[in-house]
Structures are given as C-alpha cells and as structure tokens.
Amino acid sequence: MAHRLMRARSARRHLRGIRITLNLLLVLALAYTVTITKALLIPLVLAAFIGLALNPIVASGARLGLPRWLCASVLMIGLIAGIGSGLSMLTQPALGWFHEAPAAIRSFVPKMKAFMQPLEAASRATQSLVAVQGSRAPAPNQASLAINAWDVVATTPKVLAAVLTVVLLVFFFLVYGDHLLRRLVEAAPSFSYKRHAVSVVRSIQTEVSRYILTTFLINLMLGTITAGMLWLYHMPDPLLWGAVAMLANFIPYVGAITTTTVLALVGLINFNDAGSALLPALTFAGITAFEGNLITPMIQGRRMRLSPIAILLWLLIWGWLWGIPGALLAVPMLTSAKLVAERVRGWRWFALMVQR
C-alpha cells in the first residue's frame, strides 16, 4: 500500500513537471507568434481599444433612434478630421527639430562645458598617452540625419495601409459590435451560460470603455496644460511638446521621465540661463506628479490602480515584442486583462497579482 502511494505521488510530480514544461513551451510559442504577426495584431489591438472607447457615444446615438452606421460615420469623419488637422500643425515643427538636431547639439555642447570639464581632462590625458605610444585612432565619421526621398516614398504606402486598416476596423467594430455580441451569446450552450456571458461581456465592455476614454481625456488635459505652460515660459513649439507629453503619458513612469528629459534638453538648447532652461522641465515634473498621484487615482478609482512592478514588467515585455507601439498599448492591455481576469473563473489570481 505504501509503495503504491509513493508511485502515485511520483506520477503526480512527473505530471506536474510535464504540465509546467508544456505551459512554458506554450508561452514561448505565443510570444513567437505575437512577434512575427505584430504587423497584423498591432492595428487590430489599436482598433479594438479605439472602438471600445467610442462605443458609448455610438450606443447613445442608437438609443436615440439613430442608425449605428450613421453615428459611426459622423464620429469617424470628425475623428479623422481632428487627427489630420493636428498632424498638419505638428508635422512641420517636428521635421524642423529633426533637421536642426545636429546644429542644436553643437550649440548645446558649449553650454555644458562646465559639466564636461572633468571628462575633457580625462580625454586630454588619454590622448597624451596615445601620442606617447605613437598611435592615434582615426576620428569617427559623423552620421548624417538627412531624410532620403526614397525612404519616404517606400514608407508612405505602409503607413497609409496601416491607417486605413485601423479606420476600417474601428468603423466595423462600432457598427457590428452588438451583432458580434449576440452571436457570442447564441453560441452559449444553456440559458444560464448565455446570461453569464452577457453579464461578463457587458461589464467588461463598459469598464474598459470608461477606462480608455477617461485615460485619453486625462492625457489630453495633461498635454493641453503642458502646452500652455510652455507657451507662458516662451518655449519654442509648445503644441508639439504638449502632444509629445500627451502620447508619452500613456506609458506610465517611463513616459513622464522621457518627457521631462526632453524638455530639459530643449530648455538648455534655447536658454542661456540654467534656471530658465530647467524651469519648464521641473514644472512638468510637478504637474505629472500631481496628476499621477492625485488626479488619476481619484478619477479612475482604486480598482483601476496597477502595481508599479507589474506595469514595468508589462512595458518591458511588450516593448521588447512590439517596440514603441507595444509600449504605448501595454498598460491598456494590462488593465483590460485585469478586468477580464476578475470575472473569469480560475484567473482571479492574475487580477490580484497585478493590482496595487
């Protein structure tokens, strides 16, 4: 009897080891699949989030008796017009900064001379040692930042195709989202399953929509306040840096640090006084600290708060898999996964792990 129990325990341990190995292989296979199909998945995920954020507006129009396709069409036309006008305003300043980057860096280096003196002394000592040995390394060639016309021509069709894909997916999500939900409910085996499916999907849809729309509005206000603050400080192109602050704030912690660093560099390039140069960056750091620690938790509530460790790990994973788009979409995906895990049996441990 004891020998049989030992054999059963050994078999369970072997099965547990096999299950862990298979789960690890499944995770690796999913990561590889997500990486090689990112050109397909990134527009799909982006369109799904935009559709969820805009769905309450279309649903409100439908409750008033308006066709969903009409509400979705008007909303998409307004959205495209707004984004197009914003891009037309920001493209020229962004290209100007890109082209003037080498000259800006050359003007920035003398201003940092006081901080660079220890490094210059070490460099002179190294050069003297090399001169004594009778050898001198060749000076590296400076890389040019010129934009090739062929690169623009080759990249434009891909960008237009991705934009058109996102626009069409968002439109069809808005028009046929409820139809897909009804099909999902019809596929449930029993009435109790149908009712549970409707409750789970509706609650997830409502909470994810509220989260995405609220986050967008908070980041939009942050970008607007940042642009106004930079305009008061006489910083060049305040709308451009306000837009950068808005987009970067979708990446918690990393986005605020990156924007603060960029504003500090721009201030040091454009102002001779160190106090005036660093004042916009310090003000922005105070604004983001106030927003991240008071405004966002107060509006979003404690249920939407995520662990900083989980956020950073999620950013590392999706930034590694998808690059910058993955970093921008990482936190909305993590929040959505948390909301789904709270309502799916067997996955509540994940919601507890990522919650603050």
Side-chain angles (χ1 to χ4, degrees):
M1 185 67 179
H3 181 67
R4 188 176 300 174
L5 288 175
M6 291 178 61
R7 289 180 59 186
R9 292 174 182 173
S10 177
R12 282 197 296 269
R13 283 195 298 267
H14 285 300
L15 289 176
R16 190 181 300 113
I18 293 173
R19 185 164 56 249
I20 293 173
T21 304
L22 291 177
N23 288 333
L24 290 176
L25 291 176
L26 178 61
V27 169
L28 292 176
L30 288 175
Y32 178 75
T33 304
V34 165
T35 303
I36 64 174
T37 59
K38 63 180 180 180
L40 172 65
L41 292 179
I42 290 174
L44 183 62
V45 173
L46 179 61
F49 282 132
I50 296 175
L52 282 172
L54 299 179
N55 184 68
I57 303 175
V58 177
S60 299
R63 284 194 294 268
L64 296 176
L66 298 175
R68 289 187 68 92
W69 65 266
L70 179 60
C71 298
S73 300
V74 173
L75 191 59
M76 292 301 297
I77 291 172
L79 187 65
I80 293 171
I83 293 176
S85 62
L87 289 176
S88 65
M89 293 172 58
L90 300 177
T91 300
Q92 192 65 32
L95 291 177
W97 277 97
F98 184 80
H99 285 295
E100 295 174 3
I105 292 173
R106 284 195 296 269
S107 66
F108 169 73
V109 171
K111 297 178 182 179
M112 298 295 292
K113 190 174 181 180
F115 300 98
M116 298 291 291
Q117 285 179 354
L119 294 178
E120 290 178 357
S123 177
R124 285 194 298 268
T126 304
Q127 289 178 2
S128 64
L129 290 175
V130 173
V132 169
Q133 295 175 357
S135 62
R136 183 178 294 272
N141 295 327
Q142 291 183 354
S144 63
L145 294 175
I147 299 177
N148 192 354
W150 174 250
D151 294 335
V152 177
V153 173
T155 306
T156 301
K158 298 179 182 179
V159 174
L160 291 178
V163 171
L164 182 61
T165 301
V166 172
V167 170
L168 290 177
L169 285 173
V170 171
F171 178 77
F172 286 117
F173 283 156
L174 293 175
V175 175
Y176 299 106
D178 283 353
H179 180 73
L180 292 175
L181 177 60
R182 285 195 296 269
R183 294 300 183 189
L184 177 65
V185 172
E186 290 175 1
S190 64
F191 178 76
S192 61
Y193 279 101
K194 294 179 189 293
R195 185 173 60 183
H196 181 67
V198 170
S199 174
V200 169
V201 172
R202 287 295 188 192
S203 60
I204 291 173
Q205 184 183 40
T206 301
E207 294 197 26
V208 172
S209 300
R210 185 184 299 116
Y211 164 76
I212 296 172
L213 189 59
T214 305
T215 303
F216 172 76
L217 293 176
I218 291 173
N219 293 343
L220 179 62
M221 290 300 300
L222 176 67
T224 304
I225 294 172
T226 302
M229 177 266 295
L230 296 177
W231 178 77
L232 290 175
Y233 288 152
H234 304 288
M235 285 277 285
D237 302 317
L239 291 178
L240 174 63
W241 305 121
V244 170
M246 182 190 72
L247 292 176
N249 204 51
F250 283 98
I251 309 175
Y253 309 117
V254 178
I257 294 172
T258 303
T259 307
T260 304
T261 305
V262 170
L263 292 179
L265 293 176
V266 174
L268 290 171
I269 289 172
N270 288 276
F271 298 104
N272 294 322
D273 182 22
S276 301
L278 296 178
L279 184 59
L282 295 176
T283 306
F284 176 78
I287 293 172
T288 53
F290 180 75
E291 174 267 328
N293 293 287
L294 183 62
I295 300 299
T296 299
M298 182 176 63
I299 295 176
Q300 297 281 22
R302 295 190 61 85
R303 288 188 64 252
M304 293 295 181
R305 302 187 69 181
L306 300 173
S307 169
I309 298 176
I311 291 174
L312 292 177
L313 290 176
W314 208 252
L315 287 174
L316 287 174
I317 292 172
W318 288 103
W320 173 59
L321 293 175
W322 286 357
I324 294 177
L328 290 172
L329 295 171
V331 176
M333 287 192 292
L334 179 60
T335 305
S336 302
K338 174 182 175 294
L339 293 174
V340 173
E342 287 177 345
R343 289 166 174 78
V344 177
R345 296 171 184 173
W347 282 93
R348 292 178 182 173
W349 62 269
F350 180 80
L352 294 175
M353 289 291 294
V354 301
Q355 185 174 341
R356 177 179 290 187

